[in-house]
Amino acid sequence: MPSSYRGLILDFGGVLTTRMRLNGEAFERSEGLEPGAYFHALDVNPEGVRVYSALELGEATQEDWNRVIGGILGIDSTDLMRRALANLRPEPAIVAASDRARAAGVKVAMLSNSFGLEPYNPYAALGMWEDAFEAVILSEREGVRKPSPVIYQRTLEALDLTGPECVFVDDHSGNLTPAEALGIRTIHHTTDPEATAAKLDRLLVG
């Protein structure tokens, strides 16, 4: 029986890629940082939280982020985002599931709270740029980020689909609720990419 879903919306970091936590821990080791220091800089330190939010909204540049986070951590800020994401890799199971969905005629969009694009474009670096999807929606371009309902609506518009026609995968449960309010079927991706891929196959490929 053909799937009723015509669109698939995928988060980038931690869904289309390997886990962000593991990447961050590897970055801490490579830079000789204390365990947890990087996550504290991003999630707790007020200046770190501010600049990350501003980067996602297009109100700060990646070089601003490099400078502020490098200063908090006491490390060289040169091209810091590239170093911070150096251990991120495409998640093979999810990428393959996305490819199967596209082969079945499903439109695929990437929806990401942005890491910035210059001087380092992490999406292009991992082969996940505009020619790999029907739509690429980045928060810095939109001036709004997940979990704002606005960015989900813009993703639907970019795909020319309605909420009930789409499936959305994210590794942060808080990002799923606004999508569900638009009628989008959601999948909370945790630590088992094979299980998530199997769910996508059942919903989209049959």
Side-chain angles (χ1 to χ4, degrees):
M1 180 177 176
S3 169
S4 61
Y5 295 108
R6 300 174 55 208
L8 171 61
I9 305 167
L10 296 167
D11 176 41
F12 174 69
V15 175
L16 278 163
T17 76
T18 47
R19 293 168 58 196
M20 294 298 297
R21 184 83 194 181
L22 298 179
N23 171 80
E25 290 170 351
F27 170 68
E28 290 176 339
R29 292 192 296 271
S30 69
E31 297 286 335
L33 298 169
E34 291 294 320
Y38 178 56
F39 301 103
H40 188 275
L42 299 184
D43 301 330
V44 179
N45 183 285
E47 279 302 295
V49 171
R50 181 197 62 77
V51 77
Y52 212 159
S53 173
L55 175 68
E56 290 181 333
L57 293 170
E59 297 168 356
T61 67
Q62 191 180 92
E63 290 182 326
D64 292 332
W65 184 94
N66 291 344
R67 175 179 50 79
V68 172
I69 299 300
I72 293 169
L73 295 174
I75 59 177
D76 181 11
S77 64
T78 305
D79 214 9
L80 184 58
M81 184 66 81
R82 184 189 305 271
R83 290 168 20 229
L85 298 179
N87 291 280
L88 210 58
R89 299 288 183 270
E91 180 51 70
I94 304 300
V95 173
S98 174
D99 289 344
R100 289 191 292 272
R102 290 188 87 190
V106 175
K107 295 180 180 179
V108 180
M110 179 176 70
L111 170 58
S112 176
N113 282 352
S114 186
F115 295 95
L117 298 174
E118 295 179 352
Y120 176 61
N121 182 333
Y123 310 100
L126 296 187
M128 298 179 187
W129 197 222
E130 292 172 329
D131 58 349
F133 305 95
E134 277 67 43
V136 170
I137 307 298
L138 299 181
S139 61
E140 71 172 284
R141 291 175 167 176
E142 303 298 326
V144 64
R145 61 180 178 164
K146 295 179 288 183
S148 169
V150 173
I151 202 164
Y152 302 93
Q153 187 60 54
R154 290 183 185 171
T155 305
L156 294 175
E157 291 166 2
L159 291 173
D160 193 25
L161 295 172
T162 65
E165 293 178 296
C166 293
V167 177
F168 171 52
V169 185
D170 202 291
D171 58 332
H172 292 287
S173 59
N175 289 336
L176 301 178
T177 304
E180 291 166 355
L182 292 170
I184 300 170
R185 173 71 176 265
T186 62
I187 296 175
H188 183 205
H189 176 64
T190 53
T191 59
D192 189 346
E194 297 290 347
T196 298
K199 291 178 184 177
L200 290 175
D201 283 342
R202 286 195 296 272
L203 291 171
L204 301 172
V205 180

